[in-house]
Amino acid sequence: ATSEGEILGSLYSKGIKPDGVQKLSKEMVKMVCKEYEVEVIDAAAVRVEEMAKKKEMLDDDDLDKLEERPPVLTIMGHVDHGKTTLLDYIRKTKVAAAEAGGITQGIGAYKVQVPIDGKTQTCVFLDTPGHEAFGAMRARGARVTDIAVIVVAADDGIRPQTSEAIAHAKAAGVPIIVAINKIDKDGANPDRVIQDLSSIGLMPEDWGGDIPMVKISALKGENVDDLLETIMLVAELQELKANPHRNAKGTVIEAGLDKSKGPVATFIVQNGTLRRGDVIACGEAFGKVRALFDGKGKRVDEAGPSIPVQVIGFNNVPLAGDEFEVVNSLDIAREKAELRAEYLRDERITAKAGDGKITLSSLA
Ligand code: GTP
Ligand code: MG
């Protein structure tokens, strides 16, 4: 063992005089560790690794069974800036035009085969609403995504939900790609948007920064290929992996009560493979998967990592944002659901009693 005094002495001898408050630089720490033959652990790197594990829901057992999985991309941005139109162009559909009032009100999850360099690549897109009332959905999207695609209309520029979306992406620690949209419109000024983005800390790659920015027209399809190529490049760098050979777990994207189907939930499977007949615990709900449906409403037998599926078979409606996992028996599932319900009830009581404010005395 080495005493503090010894280390201090050795630092002093090198002309470094830590005063007990001053932080040592990385270089200094490495130097000291080397001298005393102590292994250097880079806390920041460990933290990133932990975050990656948590986000992808990987356990240590998975690490030697990992396989590539498709990227999950969340399209975010201010209301009306063209998110659904962009996704429509990519999917060759016309959802945007059919939406009531032209405003998206829920999260859509779509598996898309994207043609890149003569091959097709699977991508999963989440379409989020831009209306300010739906902040929770944007936050949820950012939480399960690998890459955030921020859409900014070139005739409107950075608006409140643009900034909010950027903040969510940063909080989730995911890479950002900016699509500057509506460049076909009169009054579009994409360069001004780039300028403004750089002034709030998003430095474009073209200027030596790390944020890819692509000028597009989602309506006309102009440069959307470039955008997709950029997306695939960023996705490749992330080396996204999961273990498909295990029980599934993931997150509820949306849930509700369907008149004919009963409680339904859209899941994103984040690790493992979900199958018909699997028993799931999902927040306060539980049940046996009666049927799985893909994005087109077609029945499927299973869903692997990154894939969104609609699931029926719960005892009641789970909450969007809940995590789900496959367990070995209905008894275990019920118990987990009850524990979760109990935990949430206690939390509500605590929040009520303490007015939601945490004080020193309430902690004691
Ligand atoms: P919310 O989901 O409600 O936040 O809106 P959104 O971002 O999904 O916008 P949406 O795709 O619904 O498009 C809004 C309007 O902008 C529609 O009338 C689109 O036709 C139009 N629009 C979208 N992209 C473009 C574009 O590239 N050029 C032009 N000229 N219009 C566009
Ligand atoms: Mg929309």
Side-chain angles (χ1 to χ4, degrees), residues 52-282:
K53 267 198 211 167
K54 187 172 182 304
K55 195 164 85 64
E56 295 177 9
M57 302 196 170
L58 299 182
D59 300 326
D60 287 336
D61 287 352
D62 295 324
L63 296 181
D64 56 351
K65 302 185 197 83
L66 297 180
E67 293 178 17
E68 259 180 58
R69 64 174 179 84
V72 178
L73 302 135
T74 299
I75 305 190
M76 293 192 285
H78 198 76
V79 67
D80 264 359
H81 279 199
K83 298 173 290 294
T84 305
T85 305
L86 170 61
L87 203 44
D88 279 357
Y89 183 83
I90 296 170
R91 298 172 60 219
K92 312 269 180 269
T93 55
K94 288 249 177 299
V95 173
E99 282 176 340
I103 290 178
T104 304
Q105 308 209 15
I107 298 193
Y110 310 95
K111 186 175 109 179
V112 187
Q113 302 296 337
V114 177
I116 303 270
D117 296 338
K119 291 180 294 184
T120 59
Q121 297 257 19
T122 305
C123 292
V124 172
F125 284 96
L126 301 186
D127 184 19
T128 64
H131 191 281
E132 63 169 318
F134 302 117
M137 288 187 205
R138 285 185 291 275
R140 200 180 308 141
R143 246 185 42 216
V144 298
T145 202
D146 300 308
I147 298 169
V149 179
I150 310 276
V151 175
V152 193
D155 63 338
D156 202 25
I158 301 176
R159 300 291 307 276
Q161 272 62 54
T162 318
S163 311
E164 192 212 275
I166 293 168
H168 285 319
K170 285 192 169 164
V174 294
I176 292 172
I177 296 171
V178 178
I180 297 162
N181 190 30
K182 306 200 186 184
I183 56 168
D184 61 288
K185 274 185 95 168
D186 287 342
N189 192 345
D191 292 325
R192 167 82 195 279
V193 176
I194 294 176
Q195 183 77 51
D196 290 347
L197 286 166
S198 74
S199 72
I200 59 165
L202 294 194
M203 204 48 81
E205 266 182 346
D206 288 354
W207 300 4
D210 56 359
I211 310 287
M213 298 190 184
V214 186
K215 301 173 189 172
I216 64 163
S217 165
L219 196 65
K220 304 252 157 80
E222 205 181 329
N223 295 343
V224 174
D225 286 350
D226 286 353
L227 176 66
L228 289 173
E229 223 163 275
T230 305
I231 286 172
M232 293 316 298
L233 274 177
V234 173
E236 242 165 63
L237 285 177
Q238 293 215 80
E239 299 187 31
L240 302 165
K241 295 199 166 111
N243 172 12
H245 314 287
R246 53 160 287 159
N247 283 344
K249 48 179 167 174
T251 301
V252 179
I253 297 299
E254 278 205 295
L257 201 58
D258 184 275
K259 266 186 231 127
S260 55
K261 290 179 182 162
V264 286
T266 305
F267 287 175
I268 289 263
V269 176
Q270 286 167 284
N271 198 11
T273 299
L274 183 67
R275 296 194 172 83
R276 199 151 46 89
D278 278 348
V279 175
I280 35 180
C282 179

